[in-house]
Amino acid sequence: MRYAAVVAAIAAITVADFKLHVNPTTVALMFLVAVLLASAYWGLRYAVVLALGATAAFNYFFLPPIRTFTIADPQNWITLFAFLVTALVASNLAERARREAEGAKQRRREVERLYSLSQRLLASENVLELLNALPGYVRESFSLDSVVVIAADHTTPYRSALDAKFDETVLRSTLLRGEPITQAAVSYVPLRLGMRTVGALAVTGAGLSRETLDALGSLAGLAIERARALEALSKNRAEQEHERLRSALLDSVTHEFRTPLTSIKASVTTLLSGATLDAQARRELLTVIDEETDRLNRLVGEAAEMAQLDSGRFQLELKPHSIDDALQPALEDAKSALENHPIELIVPANLPKVRMDASRIREVLMHLLENAGKYSEANVPIKVTAEVKGDLLVISVADSGPGIDSFEQSLIFEKFYRGQNQRYTAPGTGMGLAIAKVIVEAHSGTIGVVSQLGNGSVFSFSLPIDPSARPA
C-alpha cells in the first residue's frame, strides 16, 4: 500500500504541476519535499523509490524535449543529476534522523519501564518474596515472553512461567562468570552489585538493547542486595529486642521472686530455729509462708500465660455474656488489692450482652482493678463504669493514683515494662497490662489509657456487642 501511495504521490504532483505549467525548479522542490516526507515517516526504501520515480517523471514531463526521456540541453543533465543526488542524500539524512528519534523514544520508554520496575522491586523487603516476584515484574514491565532468575545463595531458578525456555547450564555459567551471553534468542544477564555478581537473569521475547539489559541486571542486583540487607537488619533488631526483653524479664522476675522467697526463708528459719513461739506467732509465720507461696505461684502462672498468649496457642470460648459475669468475679479476685478502697460501680442493669470469653475478660478486669488499688492511696475510691458507644461496650477503671507520664502511656502495655517511678515502689512484673492487651485484642476490641500526672488514670477497653443483642 505504501508503494502504491508513492506512485500516487508522483502522479498527483506531476499532473498538478503539468496542468498549472509550473516551472521546473518548483517541480523539483515539490518532488524533494515529497521524498523527505516519505523518508521521515516511512523509511529510506520508500524515499529511494519515490526519488527515482520523481527523477523519471521530472525528466519526461518537465525537461525539454517534453514527453521523452531524451535530454537535449547538457545543463539539464546537471539539473537532473543534482535533483537525484539531493533527493537521495536528503532522504538518507531524514531516515537517519527518524531512526535516531525512534531510538531516543525507545530508550525513553525503556528508562520509564526501568523506573517503574524499580518502584515495584524496592517494595519487597524479603529475598524469597522478591525472587518469586522478580520474573513476573520484569516480564510485565518489558512485555517479554519469559523471564528466569537465580540468586547466588538461592540457586533454584525462579520462572515467570512454568514453560519458560532457557538453558540452565548457561544461566549458571552467567552467574559464575559474571558475563552476559546471548544464545538461541535468549539473553543471559548477570545481576551485579558493583564488581560482585549476586545472581543471573534470562529473558526471551524482546530485542532489548545491551545498555537496557545491563541496567536491568544492576537494578535487580541492587534490589536483591537491598532485600538481603533489610532481612539482616530485621534479624539484628529482633535479636536486640529479644535481648532487651530477656534482660527486662530477668530484672523484673528476679526482683519479684526475691521478695516472697526472702519472706518464706525468714519464716522457715525462725520455725526451724527451735525458738519458743506461742501458737499465735507460729500461725503468723505459717500464714506468711502460705501467702508468699501463692504469690510465687501466681508469678510463675503469669509468666507461663504470657508465653502462651505470645505464641497464639490459646482459644477463646466466645459466648454472649453480661459484663457482670466477668466483673463480679474480678472484684472478688482483686479483693486483697482493693480492701482499703471504696468501689463505685456505674454499670446500668440493661446493658447489652457481648460475645466474650468470660474467664479471660475476668482476668483483664482483675489486672486493671489490682493496678488501680496498687497505685492509689488508701481510702481513695476506685470507679468502674460501663457504657454503650455505638456497636461497642466500653468498660473503664478510674483511679486517683500518681498518673502516668505521656511518654510512658505508649509503653505501659509492653511486656515487662514498669513505670520509672513505680518500678521499685510497688510489686509487679509488668506482665498484667500486656496480658490484658493481648486478651482484649483477641476479642476484636481495643484497650488504652488516659492519664495526667497527679490526677490519676483511666484505663478503658472495648468489646463488640453481640449482634443478637443489638436493638432492631
Side-chain angles (χ1 to χ4, degrees):
M1 292 181 65
R2 290 185 176 179
Y3 284 117
V6 166
V7 173
I10 294 172
I13 295 173
T14 301
V15 170
D17 290 348
F18 190 78
K19 288 187 175 182
L20 295 174
H21 303 288
V22 177
N23 63 66
T25 301
T26 304
V27 174
L29 290 175
M30 293 183 68
F31 275 130
L32 189 59
V33 170
V35 170
L36 291 174
L37 291 174
S39 178
Y41 289 100
W42 291 349
L44 182 61
R45 55 181 176 173
Y46 301 104
V48 170
V49 171
L50 181 55
L52 295 175
T55 301
F58 185 57
N59 180 15
Y60 189 82
F61 290 102
F62 299 100
L63 294 180
I66 305 302
R67 295 185 180 178
T68 68
F69 288 103
T70 303
I71 299 176
D73 189 347
Q75 291 186 0
N76 289 336
W77 279 106
I78 298 174
T79 301
L80 188 64
F81 181 74
F83 170 75
L84 179 60
V85 171
T86 302
L88 292 176
V89 171
S91 62
N92 185 53
L93 293 174
E95 167 70 6
R96 185 182 301 175
R98 185 181 69 83
R99 288 181 178 177
E100 290 179 354
E102 288 182 351
K105 289 181 181 179
Q106 177 66 19
R107 287 191 293 273
R108 178 179 59 81
R109 286 193 294 268
E110 290 178 353
V111 169
E112 290 174 350
R113 290 172 177 175
L114 285 170
Y115 175 76
S116 175
L117 176 63
S118 70
Q119 300 303 301
R120 303 179 73 178
L121 294 182
L122 295 179
S124 299
E125 298 182 355
N126 177 277
V127 175
L128 288 178
E129 175 189 345
L130 176 62
L131 291 175
N132 276 296
L134 179 58
Y137 288 165
V138 174
R139 183 179 61 82
E140 293 171 9
S141 297
F142 292 92
S143 302
L144 303 172
D145 291 340
S146 62
V147 179
V148 181
V149 65
I150 62 173
D153 53 352
H154 294 79
T155 54
T156 301
Y158 294 84
R159 301 171 173 84
S160 61
L162 293 176
D163 58 348
K165 297 180 179 179
F166 72 104
D167 189 327
E168 187 169 343
T169 302
V170 178
L171 184 62
R172 295 187 183 281
S173 176
T174 303
L175 171 61
L176 294 174
R177 297 171 56 189
E179 297 178 358
I181 301 173
T182 301
Q183 188 179 93
V186 182
S187 296
Y188 299 89
V189 186
L191 309 184
R192 292 196 182 97
L193 185 67
M195 300 300 295
R196 183 161 57 92
T197 302
V198 298
L201 190 73
V203 300
T204 59
L208 297 179
S209 65
R210 174 52 56 191
E211 292 79 6
T212 300
L213 289 173
D214 290 342
L216 180 59
S218 298
L219 180 61
L222 177 62
I224 291 173
E225 194 63 20
R226 173 184 176 274
R228 186 177 290 115
L230 287 175
E231 278 189 346
L233 179 61
S234 298
K235 182 179 180 181
N236 183 52
R237 286 179 175 173
E239 291 176 351
Q240 291 178 350
E241 180 66 12
H242 173 73
E243 182 63 25
R244 185 188 70 81
L245 290 177
R246 188 174 71 88
S247 299
L249 174 61
L250 288 174
D251 177 66
S252 177
V253 170
T254 299
H255 181 267
E256 288 304 310
F257 274 62
R258 183 172 294 166
T259 301
L261 285 174
T262 300
S263 300
I264 293 172
K265 177 66 175 176
S267 299
V268 171
T269 301
T270 303
L271 290 171
L272 293 175
S273 66
T276 303
L277 299 173
D278 58 20
Q280 179 65 26
R282 291 177 61 84
R283 183 175 181 81
E284 288 179 356
L285 290 175
L286 290 173
T287 300
V288 169
I289 294 173
D290 182 61
E291 290 177 350
E292 296 302 325
T293 303
D294 288 341
R295 182 178 173 186
L296 278 175
N297 185 56
R298 179 178 173 183
L299 291 173
V300 173
E302 284 186 351
E305 184 179 18
M306 190 72 254
Q308 182 189 39
L309 294 174
D310 266 349
S311 66
R313 294 193 300 270
F314 70 99
Q315 293 183 343
L316 300 177
E317 296 183 7
L318 297 176
K319 295 180 181 179
H321 286 282
S322 167
I323 192 61
D324 272 336
D325 295 343
L327 178 57
Q328 294 304 325
L331 288 169
E332 186 65 27
D333 293 340
K335 186 176 181 179
S336 60
L338 301 175
E339 60 184 356
N340 296 322
H341 301 279
I343 304 298
E344 296 181 12
L345 293 179
I346 306 176
V347 182
N350 59 345
L351 288 175
K353 293 184 177 182
V354 292
R355 284 185 60 81
M356 67 179 183
D357 185 325
S359 63
R360 292 291 189 181
I361 297 303
R362 168 184 176 178
E363 188 176 357
V364 171
L365 286 165
M366 180 197 69
H367 286 303
L368 297 184
L369 290 168
E370 283 191 342
N371 271 2
K374 186 188 304 181
Y375 295 111
S376 295
E377 295 182 2
N379 302 319
V380 174
I382 293 173
K383 183 183 295 185
V384 180
T385 62
E387 58 181 331
V388 175
K389 291 186 178 180
D391 293 336
L392 301 173
L393 181 66
V394 180
I395 302 95
S396 302
V397 177
D399 62 55
S400 300
I404 303 169
D405 184 83
S406 58
F407 170 74
E408 290 190 309
Q409 290 178 26
S410 62
L411 301 174
I412 58 174
F413 291 99
E414 297 293 329
K415 290 178 292 186
F416 313 121
Y417 183 80
R418 302 290 312 283
Q420 294 180 3
N421 297 326
Q422 291 79 33
R423 185 167 299 174
Y424 302 107
T425 60
T429 60
M431 289 187 283
L433 291 178
I435 291 173
K437 182 175 185 289
V438 174
I439 293 174
V440 170
E441 290 180 348
H443 282 77
S444 300
T446 58
I447 187 169
V449 62
V450 176
S451 182
Q452 186 176 4
L453 288 177
N455 293 312
S457 306
V458 179
F459 285 85
S460 303
F461 67 95
S462 63
L463 297 173
I465 296 174
D466 182 53
S468 61
R470 294 172 186 166

